[in-house]
Amino acid sequence: MLEIRNLTVAIDDVEVLADIDLTLPEGELHVLLGPNGSGKSSLLATILGLPPYRIVAGEILFDGAPIQSLPLEARARLGIGLAYQRPPSLEGVTLRSFAAAIGAEDRLETEAAALDLTAFLGRDMNVGFSGGEIKRWEVLKLVLQDPRLLLFDEPESGVDLEHVIAVGEAIAHAVRSPDREGRTCSGLVITHTGLILNHVKADRAHIMKDGRILHSGDPQALFAHIQTDGYSVPA
């Protein structure tokens, strides 16, 4: 579904990603592991086409077609969606009105209940939410948008242990289920804590450091390696 070839990205004249190669097949869930400032969020933003990221070299293929020249809204219409790490607060836009605007009213109650957000549906988006509540809403927002390629930027960060289970189950269900047109989905998740690995069955993990992917392999094995040896290439 997603293929990234020799991707180099800059902000102004500062290189933030270098020679990235990554393949995400249909139906698979991959995780990105790496220290702060390693380029993980920059990679997700570049896939979606967010400013100020500028592709210097390489290409991004979605369903076999290059998308690096497409604007953000065109990529979203193709079925690429992102749960942000730090989304804005939107006064005057309730969760319920957002769902209505994207035609997802019929799924809102069920999906909100799964993430313990039923009591929030009449509230303005992210206004007065705690950090964990914001992260749960971001997962719900992406589930309601029903993209084929689901990108999650640290979805469990700041979430209490009880709700990490709900977040993991929601992510796993969204990625492993077909979209409303019956098409297979895929997911890419950034995680620092690794807690999400206990609740989703990730197919592959990638270690990122200094804007490069150093190594790819089994998610549980790589996370165990990081816990003992840091973000290094396993021997």
Side-chain angles (χ1 to χ4, degrees):
M1 182 181 293
L2 176 71
E3 186 174 3
I4 299 173
R5 300 175 179 170
N6 304 315
L7 184 68
T8 297
V9 174
I11 298 177
D12 296 326
D13 294 325
V14 179
E15 188 176 280
V16 294
L17 298 174
D19 301 321
I20 298 290
D21 288 298
L22 187 147
T23 299
L24 177 59
E26 281 191 344
E28 291 196 4
L29 174 65
H30 290 198
V31 295
L32 287 174
L33 304 163
N36 292 327
S38 60
K40 303 183 302 299
S41 295
S42 298
L43 179 58
L44 298 196
T46 300
I47 293 170
L48 188 58
L50 292 172
Y53 299 95
R54 177 175 59 87
I55 294 177
V56 176
E59 59 183 349
I60 304 172
L61 304 177
F62 183 69
D63 281 341
I67 62 170
Q68 64 269 12
S69 62
L70 297 180
L72 184 156
E73 59 270 22
R75 302 186 200 195
R77 290 192 184 100
L78 286 175
I80 302 173
L82 171 64
Y84 291 81
Q85 184 180 9
R86 298 183 183 89
S89 300
L90 297 178
E91 293 188 5
V93 181
T94 67
L95 274 59
R96 194 177 295 280
S97 63
F98 174 84
I102 64 172
E105 309 100 308
D106 59 328
R107 300 165 51 227
L108 178 61
E109 297 284 348
T110 300
E111 303 291 1
L115 285 157
D116 195 20
L117 288 171
T118 302
F120 290 69
L121 299 184
R123 292 177 55 177
D124 291 354
M125 288 175 57
N126 297 327
V127 177
F129 287 21
S130 71
E133 290 163 353
I134 288 173
K135 289 302 182 71
R136 281 152 53 205
W137 163 243
E138 276 297 289
V139 172
L140 175 58
K141 179 203 73 178
L142 198 57
V143 168
L144 293 175
Q145 288 175 320
D146 196 37
R148 286 187 62 218
L149 175 59
L150 299 95
L151 309 173
F152 297 93
D153 196 342
E154 296 189 38
E156 85 276 36
S157 177
V159 179
D160 61 72
L161 291 177
E162 179 182 2
H163 287 111
V164 166
I165 298 173
V167 166
E169 290 176 348
I171 290 173
H173 183 265
V175 173
R176 303 300 184 184
S177 301
D179 68 4
R180 279 179 285 187
E181 296 181 22
R183 299 175 299 180
T184 303
C185 298
S186 299
L188 186 59
V189 181
I190 292 174
T191 179
H192 274 302
T193 69
L195 289 175
I196 204 73
L197 293 174
N198 295 325
H199 309 292
V200 300
K201 181 176 173 52
D203 297 286
R204 195 163 179 81
H206 311 275
I207 295 178
M208 286 195 72
K209 190 174 182 180
D210 299 326
R212 298 175 182 271
I213 291 181
L214 302 182
H215 185 79
S216 301
D218 176 77
Q220 295 290 349
L222 281 188
F223 188 64
H225 167 80
I226 290 168
Q227 290 177 297
T228 57
D229 299 295
Y231 297 103
S232 60
V233 176

